[in-house]
Amino acid sequence: MDNVIRVQTPGALLARGGIYAALIFMAVVYLAPLLVMLLTSVKTLEDIRAGNLLSLPREITFQPWLHAWSEACTGIRCEGIGGYVWNSVQIVVPAVVISTAIGALNGYALTKWRFKGQEWVFGMLLFGCFIPFQVILLPMAQTLGWLGLGSTTTGLVLVHVVYGIAFTTLFFRNYYVNVPDELIAAAKLDGAGFFRIFLRILLPVSTPIIVVTVIWQFTQVWNDFLFGVAYSSHETQPVTVALNNVVNSTTGVREYNVDMAAAMIAALPTLLVYVLAGKYFVRGLTAGSVKG
């Protein structure tokens, strides 16, 4: 095939330049709050009072980060948010793993194993995606009390698993519906059972949707505030609740640099997840969207 030299007209170049300029402008506007937080978190209080929000620090200091991690007042005690980060990890990891596993099994059963009433089951799970968090606060609190899980990290894990199953099932169900039924039928003829088909056939091709589900659930659970403040005690609060207590603390002089450092610490895990796995999230969303 002959090489084709494409010459762009001045109008096309101008249009392309305008598109890039608009994208860069919107990116700057979108990232401006993050830049303000970062700059403020490494300034001294004197520097904050003397300059403006976007001014560069005259002296870079990481003392606010250390103070936010181990000394910032979180309500009852001045102990920093470091321990609450660990609380969030203890909540997020099992909640994401369990809800993803159950969602995968549900999606598999709802698409490849026909049973009476499966449409009703899926409809009820889908309905669960639209129930506002506030509606279930009281009945969930009663349930946790009956189970003896009130004010515990285990109770928060259970809450996030129950509320996350509807979403994970929806993700996996929409993904598995594009897997050929003939593949499952052939495995059944060879004597493979429910779990063997799932582990040997469905799970190996599920990497894209697993990535999507993990990122979605991780973000939802880590950033949750309502369930955390409603179902935890001071010792079991997630980092979002501790951050709120730090920012609203009335002890002493308002330390804006410490507040911003605490907010950056709380946001770093989700930022890292999207930076490192963002492209896989997009690929997972589009994988299987077009059958064939």
Side-chain angles (χ1 to χ4, degrees):
M1 181 181 294
D2 296 334
N3 293 328
V4 178
I5 300 177
R6 296 181 179 177
V7 180
Q8 293 186 339
T9 63
L13 291 174
L14 184 61
R16 181 181 292 271
I19 293 174
Y20 279 112
L23 291 174
I24 293 173
F25 173 75
M26 294 305 298
V28 170
V29 172
Y30 186 80
L31 293 175
L34 181 63
L35 178 62
V36 170
M37 290 173 59
L38 183 60
L39 290 176
T40 305
S41 70
V42 294
K43 292 179 181 179
T44 62
L45 284 177
E46 293 76 15
D47 199 355
I48 294 173
R49 297 190 184 102
N52 56 62
L53 289 176
L54 293 175
S55 62
L56 296 176
R58 291 176 294 184
E59 176 188 354
I60 296 178
T61 174
F62 291 99
Q63 186 60 36
W65 287 69
L66 298 176
H67 187 84
W69 181 263
S70 59
E71 299 176 18
C73 296
T74 57
I76 300 176
R77 295 186 292 271
C78 294
E79 55 190 350
I81 66 171
Y84 300 97
V85 172
W86 174 240
N87 285 346
S88 288
V89 172
Q90 290 180 297
I91 296 168
V92 168
V93 173
V96 170
V97 172
I98 295 172
S99 62
T100 301
I102 296 177
L105 283 170
N106 287 346
Y108 164 53
L110 288 170
T111 54
K112 303 306 176 187
W113 289 78
R114 305 297 179 183
F115 58 90
K116 187 176 182 180
Q118 67 171 10
E119 295 299 332
W120 283 98
V121 173
F122 177 67
M124 294 301 293
L125 286 171
L126 188 62
F127 178 73
C129 295
F130 300 98
I131 298 178
F133 288 177
Q134 295 82 354
V135 173
I136 68 168
L137 286 179
L138 183 58
M140 184 64 75
Q142 292 176 328
T143 302
L144 292 178
W146 294 333
L147 296 176
L149 298 176
S151 300
T152 64
T153 55
T154 304
L156 280 172
V157 169
L158 177 61
V159 171
H160 287 296
V161 167
V162 170
Y163 213 93
I165 286 175
F167 293 95
T168 58
T169 299
L170 178 63
F171 287 154
F172 280 99
R173 187 261 183 191
N174 291 344
Y175 184 82
Y176 286 154
V177 76
N178 292 292
V179 176
D181 292 335
E182 295 78 10
L183 192 63
I184 307 302
K188 291 180 180 178
L189 289 176
D190 290 336
F194 180 89
F195 288 104
R196 188 172 183 182
I197 293 176
F198 176 71
L199 295 175
R200 296 292 182 88
I201 298 177
L202 270 297
L203 202 58
V205 301
S206 302
T207 302
I209 198 62
I210 289 175
V211 172
V212 170
T213 305
V214 167
I215 294 177
W216 173 273
Q217 279 294 90
F218 180 91
T219 304
Q220 295 298 311
V221 178
W222 186 274
N223 291 336
D224 168 70
F225 175 79
L226 183 61
F227 291 154
V229 75
Y231 302 134
S232 65
S233 63
H234 181 75
E235 291 76 14
T236 60
Q237 288 174 347
V239 68
T240 49
V241 179
L243 174 63
N244 177 73
N245 294 337
V246 169
V247 173
N248 292 309
S249 176
T250 58
T251 58
V253 179
R254 174 58 62 87
E255 297 176 309
Y256 295 102
N257 50 358
V258 175
D259 294 345
M260 294 300 178
M264 289 295 297
I265 292 173
L268 273 177
T270 50
L271 286 174
L272 289 175
V273 165
Y274 273 103
V275 169
L276 297 177
K279 62 179 180 180
Y280 301 106
F281 183 79
V282 176
R283 290 177 186 175
L285 285 176
T286 57
S289 59
V290 180
K291 192 167 184 178

